[in-house]
Amino acid sequence: MASETNEAELDVLGDEIAELEEQIAATKKQLKIQASTIIASIPSQSLVKESSRSRSRNNKKLLRGLQGQEAHQQQCLYRICNPVTAFKVHDPDPNAVDGGHVLGLRFEVMSRSQFLKPYYVMLNRPYSKSSALRVHRHTLPSAIPLAGLAARHLPPPKPEDETPPSQDLDQFVRTLRREIMRYHNRLGISADLRRALGLHQITEGDTGPTNIVEVGIADIEAKQIKLTWADERNGRLVMDDDGKVTKLSVFGVDGRDWETTKSLFDRPQRIEEVVEKLRQSSTS
């Protein structure tokens, strides 16, 4: 009996410690944000620079923080103004084609005011007697149609008796970046839909039979969103490349729910219009 009591106390203590650790992490993050905001302001920068002549430890620490903030701002400005960066890479493999020369492309992605991990595409010239480029390596998700874009804009050379096709690297980069942004915009639609329907703060007692209780991405390209109602109805929302809703179907226990489908969708429309109809159907 005593051992069970001790285990219960340890569990409670462990939960309290975990909660305190989360609070500490959140406080440190908030402190870092507030400090960056203060030091990024022009008056604060002027004060730090004026006091930089002093040799005190605090002034030196503030000056280092200011220099780090300026470097961070410069980096963010560059990433915003230059969403695609080209650079040269040397493949150390002694058997690499074209002497190991590789052209790298870096694609910046931003979501909800934050930079995400950039994507990289590496190009080389593996064809003899030709300067044509080919995709060598990449870090893109499988939802991006890289192979199709490369075949369209970077076609491989043909036999010598035929006219070699022209490659358009600039158009390849532009189209690829557009596809990347479309993909991330579609990913964001699911999160925005959950937020708009209040699913991030819904509780078990707040759900009625007409409330939507789950929203999630249903395919790898993020073109389909699955909807689940509290009364076990399921829906599927289909979008085009730009995130415009083109199809919507609702299924109940007895099969296709035509009434709900018609009330929510009657023509291709923007996601905001569908969200408003979903809100109205949940409150009715």
Side-chain angles (χ1 to χ4, degrees):
M1 188 68 179
S3 61
E4 294 180 357
T5 304
N6 292 334
E7 290 180 0
E9 292 177 352
L10 289 175
D11 292 339
V12 173
L13 183 60
D15 294 339
E16 292 179 354
I17 293 175
E19 184 178 355
L20 289 174
E21 289 178 347
E22 291 179 359
Q23 293 178 0
I24 292 172
T27 303
K28 287 183 177 180
K29 182 178 180 180
Q30 189 65 24
L31 177 62
K32 187 176 181 180
I33 294 174
Q34 296 295 341
S36 299
T37 303
I38 293 173
I39 203 171
S41 64
I42 296 178
S44 299
Q45 293 179 5
S46 300
L47 290 174
V48 172
K49 291 179 180 179
E50 289 176 0
S51 61
S52 61
R53 298 177 181 178
S54 175
R55 296 183 178 180
S56 65
R57 182 179 301 177
N58 291 334
N59 288 339
K60 291 182 179 179
K61 186 176 181 180
L62 285 174
L63 185 59
R64 287 196 301 269
L66 176 59
Q67 292 172 348
Q69 182 65 27
E70 289 178 344
H72 176 70
Q73 290 177 342
Q74 185 179 15
Q75 182 185 25
C76 291
L77 180 62
Y78 176 83
R79 297 178 72 177
I80 292 173
C81 298
N82 298 276
V84 181
T85 304
F87 55 94
K88 294 181 180 180
V89 183
H90 184 266
D91 191 345
D93 186 356
N95 299 320
V97 299
D98 194 26
H101 297 290
V102 178
L103 174 64
L105 300 174
R106 170 180 168 136
F107 294 85
E108 301 289 353
V109 181
M110 177 179 283
S111 177
R112 300 185 63 82
S113 303
Q114 290 184 346
F115 286 106
L116 304 181
K117 186 176 181 180
Y119 295 114
Y120 293 91
V121 176
M122 304 297 175
L123 306 172
N124 61 5
R125 292 189 173 100
Y127 309 107
S128 60
K129 300 180 181 179
S130 175
S131 60
L133 294 169
R134 184 194 66 176
V135 176
H136 177 52
R137 294 284 189 274
H138 69 89
T139 62
L140 297 173
S142 56
I144 306 298
L146 178 61
L149 296 178
R152 181 186 306 172
H153 302 292
L154 301 177
K158 296 182 178 180
E160 296 180 358
D161 57 344
E162 298 184 20
T163 303
S166 60
Q167 293 189 337
D168 192 342
L169 180 60
D170 182 68
Q171 189 62 30
F172 170 76
V173 172
R174 291 174 182 271
T175 308
L176 181 56
R177 170 167 164 73
R178 183 169 64 248
E179 291 296 332
I180 292 173
M181 297 310 301
R182 282 175 169 177
Y183 171 69
H184 278 276
N185 288 338
R186 294 195 301 269
L187 288 177
I189 286 177
S190 176
D192 293 340
L193 186 57
R194 289 181 57 86
R195 195 174 297 104
L197 296 175
L199 298 185
H200 62 290
Q201 57 185 5
I202 193 171
T203 59
E204 187 175 352
D206 296 336
T207 58
T210 60
N211 290 118
I212 296 178
V213 295
E214 184 179 355
V215 174
I217 297 174
D219 70 321
I220 193 173
E221 293 183 335
K223 291 184 178 181
Q224 299 184 22
I225 295 179
K226 181 181 179 181
L227 308 173
T228 304
W229 279 262
D231 57 1
E232 298 184 356
R233 285 180 298 165
N234 293 300
R236 186 63 60 92
L237 185 150
V238 181
M239 300 178 293
D240 60 10
D241 292 336
D242 297 319
K244 188 175 182 179
V245 181
T246 58
K247 295 180 182 179
L248 192 149
S249 301
V250 181
F251 296 87
V253 179
D254 300 327
R256 187 79 173 265
D257 188 347
W258 291 102
E259 182 179 354
T260 304
T261 301
K262 291 180 180 179
S263 65
L264 295 177
F265 182 81
D266 54 358
R267 56 180 172 78
Q269 53 194 299
R270 294 176 57 84
I271 188 65
E272 292 83 1
E273 300 178 42
V274 177
V275 169
E276 185 60 30
K277 293 180 180 179
L278 288 172
R279 283 177 176 173
Q280 295 175 1
S281 65
S282 298
T283 56
S284 60

